[in-house]
Amino acid sequence: MELAFSILLVITSLLLILLVLMHKGKGGGISDMFGGGVSSSVGGSSVAERNLDRLTVALGLIWAAAIIALGLMHAG
């Protein structure tokens, strides 16, 4: 069981790095790669950027749960 959580932690860590790098910075992000930078002037962020935010938060929660689970296994 500990091995499964360790593997999950490594996979989610790598995916989180990738997703954070895809976020919009000062110059652009994934939404600009698909043409969303032109159409998102009034409504705030584009649909692609909001979906990327949701995916990053969900993956971050899974990452945190894996860390807590590994910590509880080592404590017990």
Side-chain angles (χ1 to χ4, degrees):
M1 193 66 174
E2 186 176 335
L3 179 64
F5 281 114
S6 296
I7 292 171
L8 180 66
L9 184 64
V10 169
I11 291 171
T12 54
S13 296
L14 294 174
L15 287 174
L16 273 174
I17 291 170
L18 178 70
L19 288 176
V20 167
L21 289 174
M22 289 174 69
H23 273 276
K24 186 174 184 175
K26 287 185 178 181
I30 189 170
S31 60
D32 288 339
M33 286 193 302
F34 297 113
V38 176
S39 64
S40 65
S41 60
V42 178
S45 60
S46 68
V47 174
E49 200 67 34
R50 284 193 308 262
N51 288 337
L52 184 62
D53 289 341
R54 291 179 187 141
L55 185 60
T56 304
V57 169
L59 199 59
L61 291 173
I62 294 170
W63 179 81
I67 288 178
I68 291 170
L70 281 172
L72 290 174
M73 285 182 190
H74 282 288

